[in-house]
């Protein structure tokens, strides 16, 4: 075996051993070495790697002093393999991840100012730009983001990469394929295939990212929350090794281009660096000994510490783009996917758009935004059922007067051509629901008539399938593993018509235990205008009234063990009656705390109106209330009258009624019949007392028994 093979193989073993020793402290940043080790374990794989390195070494040797103004535009597609329809990351997080790649590969990231002075002069600008493809391989309009719900492959193992990637892949000769999964086993942040894979096994070519570490601005989890995992893995996809490749191999000018990471301006490093280490020197180079470049993207530092490629790394990546991945950035390929278009060099447009609200109420303003490539200079919108029905504005506003689902069509144009896209049933105008609105989360998926807002594309509301307040499921927020403090995730009800009811009430079952030194918050908001404006009606934090379980969780996340761990919360929403466009919103604000669970959300109302101008002339109370096995009605009358008592469930259905004639003035007690009480399940009821002296309603609660 040649020396190259020995160095490469020993390097992988030592590097992987170092990573394993540090895993108790940090996740293994990268799984690429595992793939490379597997490849060199077979003779043909070793030959491919050796041939590749020889080809790139020769190219670098003849181009090490080249200057170029070429911009290498790489059409990119992101395949999100999701466990459920609401899984992160959001489109917003994916777009800012693409922004990060564009900054890092053009050395325009602001934090290059933190690079130590000894490496400032060799910060490398690769001139690489990543463009989310706006046309798919079949020529259809696309956002460049493909979402696949597959719970098996969303929690991904590298041993099953063929199975996962087979779910969705575009031609790797035309696109950089990035797959994002919910998890990667082995505590791995990401991995990539080396350029040799494009010819040997093209169905695997691309980059895989753990969805927890995609994007910035609250999208990723600290300390890998600035999107540098993608930068690191794309570096591998473009032929870069780790800076600690071969440990202290390649320490002289004679062998630095053929040993270690094969880049002469990256000082050899003995081990991967985690965290953000201070100045250190783990290898001795000649003729000039240098500190380790712990700020290099191809090391293992925290995202706020890895800041740069070197000029030598840039030359190696450009060699890969020139010799192996040249079709990606060819003019023919860019034109076919509408990448590289600008006002200076326009393309024929590809129509695309979005709206700020796709589930709305009648007569609610919906704002549409053009996303067409080209750029477009003219627009022709069609909104069947909307007002206006057509528009030539770039970003129009529309209202719909009737419930239903509606198509939207946009034709975008410029002087090179036009393109039309129709999104079928894109807009839904809801019909209002009437009380009771009940949700027990016992279906296989999150309820479709509720909206879920996940602004950071990370942890959000999801089904919990092991326990519930009364069934076997509930909805939860995993705040224990959610590190984006202050981020708000919303769960919004359908539209509710409360225009003809006397009283209204919201109840829900809550389970939560406080974690140490953390403050999660749950809020309930009410809107009377379909969500255009909101009023906060209720709030609880884990520092006071949110917890339903005593004690503090320290080592493990809280999980309810039985229905007894849930407590019913009651909110009077009577002040909001009169609206036919009411919505209820639950807002969870993460505070590095503990998991929170909700179940049995009920929005109820008492049928019929009362005369609110006059108060009743008599009094009525239920004792005890809440009750378990029996209760009585205590009432006081100022004069002789006939009475009627009715017990109603939350839908307004009468369960029991009785007439009491010729009731004399004074204090009275009516014991509710035991056979009626025995038939009542645990929950909420209304007792309505009616007489010529006025009507009185009281909420009645039967406890679990």
């Amino acid at each position: 075996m040649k020396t190259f093979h020995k160095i490469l193989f020993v390097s992988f073993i030592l590097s992987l051993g170092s990573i394993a020793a540090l895993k108790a402290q940090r996740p293994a940043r990268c799984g690429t070495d595992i793939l490379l080790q597997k490849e060199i374990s077979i003779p043909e794989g070793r030959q491919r790697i050796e041939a590749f390195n020889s080809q790139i070494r020769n190219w670098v040797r003849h181009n090490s002093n080249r200057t170029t103004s070429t911009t290498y535009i790489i059409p990119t597609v992101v395949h999100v393999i999701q466990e459920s329809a609401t899984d992160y990351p959001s489109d917003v997080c994916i777009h800012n991840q693409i922004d990060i790649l564009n900054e890092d590969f053009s050395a325009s990231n602001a934090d290059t100012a933190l690079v130590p002075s000894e490496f400032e002069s060799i910060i490398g600008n690769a001139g690489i730009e990543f463009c989310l493809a706006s046309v798919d391989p079949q020529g259809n309009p696309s956002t460049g983001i493909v979402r696949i719900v597959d719970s098996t492959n969303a929690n991904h193992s590298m041993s099953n990469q063929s199975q996962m990637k087979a779910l969705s892949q575009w031609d790797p000769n035309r696109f950089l394929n990035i797959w994002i999964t919910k998890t990667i086993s082995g505590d791995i942040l990401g991995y990539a295939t080396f350029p040799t894979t494009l010819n040997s096994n093209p169905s695997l070519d691309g980059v895989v990212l753990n969805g927890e570490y995609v994007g910035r601005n609250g999208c990723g989890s600290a300390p890998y929350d600035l999107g540098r995992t993608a930068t690191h893995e794309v570096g591998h996809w473009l032929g870069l090794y780790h800076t600690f490749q071969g440990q202290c191999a390649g320490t002289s000018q004679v062998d630095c281009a053929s040993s270690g990471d094969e880049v002469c301006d990256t000082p050899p490093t003995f081990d991967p660096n985690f965290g953000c280490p201070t100045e250190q020197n783990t290898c001795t180079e000649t003729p000039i000994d240098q500190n380790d470049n712990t700020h290099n993207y191809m090391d293992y530092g925290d995202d706020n510490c890895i800041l740069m490629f070197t000029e030598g790394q840039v030359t190696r990546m450009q060699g890969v783009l020139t010799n192996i991945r040249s079709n990606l950035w060819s003019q023919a390929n860019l034109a076919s996917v509408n990448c590289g278009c600008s006002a200076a060099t326009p393309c024929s447009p590809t129509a695309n758009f979005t709206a700020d609200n796709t589930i709305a109420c009648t007569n609610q303003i919906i704002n549409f935004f053009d996303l067409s490539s080209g750029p477009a200079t003219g627009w022709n919108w069609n909104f069947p059922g909307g007002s206006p029905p057509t528009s030539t504005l770039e970003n129009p506003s529309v209202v719909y007067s009737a419930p239903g689902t509606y198509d939207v069509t946009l034709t975008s144009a410029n002087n090179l051509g036009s393109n039309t896209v129709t999104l079928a049933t894109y807009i839904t105008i809801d019909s209002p629901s009437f009380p009771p609105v009940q949700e027990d989360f016992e279906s296989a998926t999150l309820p479709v008539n509720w909206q879920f807002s996940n602004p950071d594309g990370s942890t959000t509301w999801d089904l919990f399938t092991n326990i519930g307040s009364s069934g076997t499921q509930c909805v939860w927020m995993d705040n224990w593993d959610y590190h984006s403090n202050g981020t708000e995730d919303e769960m919004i009800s359908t539209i509710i018509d409360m225009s003809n009811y006397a009283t209204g009430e919201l109840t829900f079952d809550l389970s939560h235990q406080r974690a140490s030194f953390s403050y999660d918050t749950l809020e309930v908001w009410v809107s009377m205008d379909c969500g255009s404006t909101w009023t906060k009606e209720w709030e609880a934090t884990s520092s006071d009234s949110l917890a339903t379980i005593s004690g503090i969780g320290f080592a493990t996340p809280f999980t309810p063990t039985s229905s007894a761990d849930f407590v019913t919360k009651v909110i009077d929403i009577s002040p909001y009656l009169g609206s036919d466009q009411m919505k209820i919103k639950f807002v969870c604000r993460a505070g590095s705390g503990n998991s929170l669970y909700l179940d049995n959300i009920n929005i109820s109302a008492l049928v019929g109106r009362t005369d609110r101008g006059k108060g009743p002339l008599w009094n009525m109370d239920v004792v005890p209330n809440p009750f378990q096995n029996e209760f009585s009605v205590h009432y006081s009358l100022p004069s002789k009258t006939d009475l009627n008592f009715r017990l109603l469930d939350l839908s307004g259905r009468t369960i029991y009624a009785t007439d009491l004639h010729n009731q004399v003035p004074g204090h009275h007690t009516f014991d509710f019949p035991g056979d009626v009480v025995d038939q009542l399940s645990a929950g909420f009821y209304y007792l309505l007392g009616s007489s010529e002296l006025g009507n009185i309603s009281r909420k009645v609660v039967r406890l679990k028994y």
Side-chain angles (χ1 to χ4, degrees), residues 3-13 40 49 241 245:
T3 301
F4 164 76
H5 297 148
K6 292 180 180 178
I7 291 173
L8 186 60
F9 185 77
V10 172
S11 164
F12 289 145
I13 297 300
I40 67 167
I49 293 291
Y241 291 107
Q245 176 74 24

Side-chain angles (χ1 to χ4, degrees), residues 90-246:
S90 67
D91 285 4
V92 170
C93 293
I94 292 171
H95 279 279
N96 77 44
Q97 178 64 77
I98 297 298
D99 292 341
I100 294 162
L101 288 173
N102 286 330
E103 293 166 8
D104 290 352
F105 281 83
S106 64
S108 60
N109 49 303
D111 50 8
T112 55
L114 303 176
V115 172
S117 58
E118 62 186 306
F119 298 115
E120 282 180 350
S121 63
I122 58 168
I123 295 174
N125 176 359
I128 298 173
E129 179 181 323
F130 301 85
C131 165
L132 278 177
S134 58
V135 178
D136 70 12
Q138 289 73 45
N140 301 311
S142 173
T143 62
I145 301 172
V146 179
R147 294 185 179 272
I148 304 290
V149 176
D150 187 303
S151 59
T152 300
N153 287 287
N155 296 292
H156 173 56
S157 169
M158 289 181 63
S159 62
N160 292 328
Q161 65 164 325
S162 297
Q163 177 180 319
M164 184 274 289
K165 292 177 178 179
L167 296 172
S168 181
Q169 188 200 29
W170 293 6
D171 183 355
N173 287 292
R174 299 179 59 203
F175 303 91
L176 161 58
N177 287 272
I178 297 177
W179 290 271
I180 299 175
T181 59
K182 186 171 184 178
T183 62
I184 302 176
S185 61
D187 213 13
I188 290 172
L189 277 62
Y191 67 92
T193 58
F194 228 50
T196 51
T197 305
L198 182 62
N199 292 321
S200 66
N201 198 345
S203 64
L204 300 181
D205 187 76
V207 169
V208 180
L209 302 175
N210 184 324
E212 190 174 350
Y213 307 105
V214 171
R216 62 187 171 201
N217 298 330
C219 293
S221 295
Y224 307 112
D225 53 355
L226 297 178
R228 262 54 193 270
T229 296
T231 302
H232 179 103
E233 299 306 337
V234 173
H236 285 312
W237 181 80
L238 290 171
L240 297 184
Y241 291 107
H242 292 129
T243 55
F244 48 86
Q245 176 74 24

Side-chain angles (χ1 to χ4, degrees), residues 64 89 224 262 316 365 407 462 476 489 511 533 540 678:
S64 58
Y224 307 112
E262 305 206 2
R316 184 175 173 88
I365 295 174
D407 301 346
D462 202 357
W476 74 312
D489 289 82
S511 188
T533 60
D678 290 342

